[in-house]
Amino acid sequence: MVTWNVATADPPDDISSLLHLNSPKTPDLYVIGLQEVYAAPHRFIIDMVVEDSWSHLFMSSLAPRGYLKVSSIRMQGLLLLFFSKLAHVPFIRDIHDTYTRTGIFGYWGNKGGVSIRLSFYGHMLCFLNCHLAAHMQYASQRVDEFEYILDTQTFGPKKAPHVLDHKLVFWFGDLNFRIQDHGMHFLRNCITSHKLNLLWSKDQLTMMKKKEAVLQEFDEGPLDFQPTYKFDRFSDRYDSSGKMRKPAWTDRILWRVKPKESPPEEEKDEDRDSEFPLKLKQDSYTSNMEYGVSDHKPVIGIFTLELRKMYETPLVRVCAEGEWSADFDAMVIYSPLQPFPSSAWDWIGLYKVGFRSVSDYITYTWVKDDEVSFNDELTQVYVSKDEIPVLGGECVLCYYCSTLQCIVGISSPFKVSAGLL
């Protein structure tokens, strides 16, 4: 997980270090929350039509390594991206996103929260990226804004309608809590002498957790990295401007595992949560000092999520039938492995291996309109040769369920032969 206030800057050229791309152990999921992505009116409108430069960079960096952007949401300067290894994608369902404005009486989206919630192998997870009120004196207001976001964000009447109904919640972002009481000289001495523990008791979030019940439900790793705000750009030097802002741990990652509830006697047989436990362990919590495009440094959390899968097979098995070439019409075979809400709006997309998001299909075919034959076990679907790429290459097929609004089946990679030019 990454949180970074990018202060309206353009992205750096390389994010390999930020995402630990050269690490021998690759994560299954990436969750990236940004704040203050440049959101001037003309730029924001352009970004709605054409992918914003930050999303483009993350997608371009992760797609060649086998990660798909499963979901994203943007509210002006707040951007949240969720990536998964392709193997997990058919098991990510019930995806919803929403946002809450808190800036300027709730009408302006420069502050607030954006969230993505989803079912991961049957476990309900929620990721909430926030940018809360700034300045030293507004610690209580920041808590009020967080509680307002929790109260107003809803995901429909079914599973986990509110944020805290999810089995696991990550709360992160530029939460803007400061270090109070200590003077600048003491602060900087503690940082340069690596005595950060002397500052913890005066960190506003730590202080507010002692008296706010909702905050006490969230865990956080130790603040063993130096405060990530506020730096002179392209340096490791704290603010040297006339304002001389005090250093602070404004950028944070917290989490909450839903407490187990004892169900009524008559419901105990149906209490699936006890059968399918989930555990979370934080392996690393740190900042990355090498990035200087912003006056904040990014914060990275690495977690191990241990869970028992509620299901092992995708909803649909899909595969390419026979050889594929741009010179011949082709066939797709799919077969439902479990009941699911299929509809006439379901489609199967052809993608190049290394595709970045669901919308990157080369072509697609409607499963009902282009159906050739079917029985209870499998269905054949026709793909015109005119829709198949002439240049060929390694491809996969993905079955997209319009009712569930997610991919529910992915084929093994297969070769599409180059057609005659």
Side-chain angles (χ1 to χ4, degrees):
M1 299 190 67
V2 173
T3 179
W4 192 5
N5 182 323
V6 298
T8 73
D10 289 326
D13 295 330
D14 184 20
I15 51 172
S16 297
S17 174
L18 178 68
L19 300 181
H20 296 197
L21 295 183
N22 298 320
S23 171
K25 189 175 181 181
T26 59
D28 293 278
L29 307 172
Y30 279 99
V31 182
I32 298 152
L34 304 182
Q35 307 84 40
E36 291 194 33
V37 175
Y38 187 47
H42 71 282
R43 177 72 171 267
F44 186 61
I45 291 169
I46 291 170
D47 287 347
M48 289 178 69
V49 179
V50 181
E51 188 179 273
D52 71 88
S53 57
W54 284 93
S55 295
H56 177 80
L57 175 63
F58 285 111
M59 292 166 72
S60 299
S61 301
L62 290 172
R65 296 169 181 267
Y67 294 92
L68 181 69
K69 188 195 80 175
V70 175
S71 184
S72 66
I73 180 171
R74 182 169 178 191
M75 180 186 75
Q76 286 176 229
L78 275 167
L79 176 63
L80 177 57
L81 303 161
F82 180 92
F83 292 86
S84 169
K85 280 186 175 176
L86 203 59
H88 301 301
V89 169
F91 304 97
I92 300 172
R93 304 170 192 168
D94 202 18
I95 305 165
H96 288 83
D97 57 60
T98 189
Y99 63 89
T100 303
R101 298 186 180 101
T102 59
I104 310 180
F105 308 109
Y107 291 105
W108 188 242
N110 64 319
K111 296 289 195 297
V114 294
S115 60
I116 294 171
R117 82 83 176 270
L118 48 87
S119 166
F120 187 66
Y121 290 97
H123 299 265
M124 300 304 294
L125 314 182
C126 186
F127 304 89
L128 174 59
N129 171 26
C130 290
H131 191 186
L132 304 180
H135 305 304
M136 180 72 72
Q137 67 270 30
Y138 292 123
S140 294
Q141 183 177 331
R142 289 188 266 279
V143 177
D144 291 343
E145 287 180 352
F146 176 53
E147 291 182 329
Y148 175 73
I149 290 167
L150 293 180
D151 289 342
T152 56
Q153 293 205 349
T154 58
F155 304 96
K158 294 184 180 179
K159 298 177 184 175
H162 298 94
V163 172
L164 296 184
D165 294 330
H166 293 76
K167 189 177 286 189
L168 174 62
V169 177
F170 284 98
W171 171 40
F172 53 101
D174 180 358
L175 308 185
N176 251 324
F177 289 100
R178 308 304 171 100
I179 300 170
Q180 67 182 49
D181 297 339
H182 294 311
M184 181 70 82
H185 182 71
F186 181 79
L187 267 170
R188 295 200 172 189
N189 272 348
C190 288
I191 293 168
T192 54
S193 62
H194 305 290
K195 295 179 179 177
L196 299 174
N197 59 304
L198 299 180
L199 304 175
W200 293 345
S201 64
K202 295 300 181 180
D203 167 67
Q204 287 180 336
L205 180 52
T206 303
M207 296 169 73
M208 297 302 288
K209 282 187 77 168
K210 293 179 180 178
K211 57 182 181 178
E212 298 287 347
V214 68
L215 300 184
Q216 291 167 13
E217 296 181 21
F218 285 83
D219 293 311
E220 183 181 19
L223 298 169
D224 287 333
F225 52 93
Q226 68 184 79
T228 52
Y229 171 85
K230 170 180 169 83
F231 288 87
D232 293 342
R233 290 185 192 243
F234 300 103
S235 79
D236 293 341
R237 182 176 60 250
Y238 284 104
D239 186 16
S240 63
S241 71
K243 292 183 178 180
M244 292 284 284
R245 298 279 192 205
K246 285 185 180 180
W249 285 291
T250 56
D251 310 285
R252 314 285 277 267
I253 301 172
L254 297 93
W255 69 92
R256 172 188 183 268
V257 178
K258 187 179 179 183
K260 287 188 177 180
E261 299 173 358
S262 298
E265 283 296 324
E266 65 272 14
E267 294 181 14
K268 282 194 174 179
D269 289 343
E270 300 174 7
D271 180 26
R272 302 196 72 196
D273 277 4
S274 61
E275 298 175 41
F276 299 97
L278 174 150
K279 296 177 183 177
L280 187 80
K281 178 171 70 77
Q282 187 172 56
D283 302 313
S284 174
Y285 189 35
T286 188
S287 62
N288 189 315
M289 296 294 291
E290 75 179 68
Y291 291 97
V293 297
S294 168
D295 56 356
H296 292 247
K297 301 296 183 183
V299 169
I300 301 101
I302 300 175
F303 297 87
T304 297
L305 179 59
E306 183 183 341
L307 53 81
R308 190 174 299 167
K309 298 174 182 178
M310 293 192 190
Y311 34 77
E312 300 272 357
T313 56
L315 294 176
V316 175
R317 178 179 290 120
V318 59
C319 63
E321 184 175 21
E323 293 187 13
W324 277 52
S325 165
D327 296 329
F328 307 101
D329 296 335
M331 291 288 179
V332 178
I333 296 177
Y334 76 88
S335 53
L337 301 179
Q338 301 172 44
F340 73 99
S342 60
S343 77
W345 296 105
D346 291 2
W347 49 273
I348 296 172
L350 176 68
Y351 295 86
K352 280 285 185 74
V353 168
F355 69 107
R356 308 186 312 165
S357 72
V358 174
S359 59
D360 278 353
Y361 53 80
I362 299 164
T363 186
Y364 65 90
T365 181
W366 298 104
V367 297
K368 301 298 184 186
D369 288 357
D370 299 312
E371 191 176 282
V372 176
S373 65
F374 76 96
N375 56 41
D376 291 340
E377 294 183 358
L378 61 86
T379 302
Q380 285 185 314
V381 181
Y382 164 88
V383 180
S384 169
K385 64 181 180 182
D386 298 332
E387 304 293 335
I388 298 173
V390 173
L391 295 178
E394 286 285 310
C395 294
V396 293
L397 295 164
C398 297
Y399 187 112
Y400 185 86
C401 175
S402 294
T403 304
L404 298 176
Q405 295 192 317
C406 61
I407 291 171
V408 295
I410 301 177
S411 75
S412 300
F414 62 97
K415 178 79 171 177
V416 176
S417 302
L420 297 175
L421 296 175

